[in-house]
Amino acid sequence: MLGLLRSETARYRHYYEERREEAHQYILTQLTPVIGESLTDITDINSKALECWEKQWLPFIPSGRSWSDWNWRDDVAGWKRHIDRFEVAIWSGRQLCGLALGKPSQARNNLSVYLLQGSPVENHPLKGKVLAIVIDAAGAYGTALGCRELRLVKPLSGMVGKYQDLGFRLVKEHRSAPYCVRSL
């Protein structure tokens, strides 16, 4: 029985890995002509991405900001238990330009992005484009899973206006964290 459960879990893990990879490649082919050659790859958040986060980002992260203490290595480790998770690392050559994590709701009504961060390096090649890439990648993955909405959960107050400019609306419900939402 345990062997059957393991093989079933492995099958589901493979299924979601394939959907993420398809979403990454689809968005890469759609956006490269628009953004240009500065967007070179979209991947899962692997050990290479985490090493680049430590080497390329940590020296540039200012202290005292609401996002200064994010630890992507710990966050990614915690999210690995969600086999259906959404995750992206956005690349320009060897430079890591963006990271995001999320997951679909249990009923597959929505895909929620919980963590989203662009490189703190002042003039990285995809400056000002990471948010749109993450939203497009999350939308592609959510659509592949049959989700109807995309949510950006617990948005930083300074980002709500940017999200609204991209067609999201802010929702504050009594029993849940605030989120920005738009249809897929």
Side-chain angles (χ1 to χ4, degrees):
M1 181 69 171
L2 187 57
L4 181 61
L5 288 175
R6 284 185 182 149
S7 66
E8 188 76 8
T9 300
R11 192 177 68 156
Y12 282 121
R13 186 176 319 277
H14 181 71
Y15 171 81
Y16 290 111
E17 287 171 356
E18 284 185 337
R19 299 298 79 74
R20 281 195 306 270
E21 175 64 21
E22 288 168 358
H24 296 164
Q25 292 308 308
Y26 173 75
I27 293 305
L28 188 61
T29 59
Q30 294 297 307
L31 291 182
T32 300
V34 176
I35 292 176
E37 294 181 11
S38 57
L39 176 62
T40 59
D41 206 1
I42 301 172
T43 66
D44 277 352
I45 303 174
N46 52 30
S47 60
K48 176 185 170 188
L50 293 172
E51 287 171 17
C52 288
W53 164 74
E54 288 173 338
K55 291 177 183 172
Q56 296 174 10
W57 291 23
L58 286 181
F60 295 94
I61 293 179
S63 60
R65 302 262 176 96
S66 56
W67 48 268
S68 295
D69 61 348
W70 286 356
N71 184 322
W72 281 96
R73 191 170 291 281
D74 290 347
D75 290 331
V76 169
W79 281 82
K80 290 293 183 188
R81 74 179 192 280
H82 299 287
I83 61 174
D84 57 353
R85 71 191 169 277
F86 165 74
E87 62 178 289
V88 292
I90 300 166
W91 299 91
S92 180
R94 293 186 192 136
Q95 192 165 3
L96 178 64
C97 296
L99 294 168
L101 281 168
K103 68 181 184 72
S105 62
Q106 195 167 10
R108 299 291 186 262
N109 293 325
N110 62 71
L111 179 75
S112 294
V113 176
Y114 290 88
L115 296 170
L116 162 62
Q117 189 175 23
S119 171
V121 176
E122 185 60 35
N123 292 314
H124 70 82
L126 295 172
K127 187 82 170 172
K129 298 173 183 160
V130 170
L131 176 59
I133 296 168
V134 169
I135 288 171
D136 286 349
Y141 183 64
T143 299
L145 298 183
C147 298
R148 296 187 317 264
E149 293 181 339
L150 177 59
R151 294 182 178 184
L152 306 173
V153 180
K154 292 185 183 176
L156 297 174
S157 59
M159 293 298 295
V160 172
K162 289 182 183 184
Y163 298 155
Q164 289 172 330
D165 289 345
L166 294 170
F168 287 84
R169 64 182 169 78
L170 180 62
V171 176
K172 292 182 179 180
E173 295 177 343
H174 176 66
R175 296 182 184 209
S176 66
Y179 60 91
C180 292
V181 63
R182 80 174 194 194
S183 295
L184 289 176

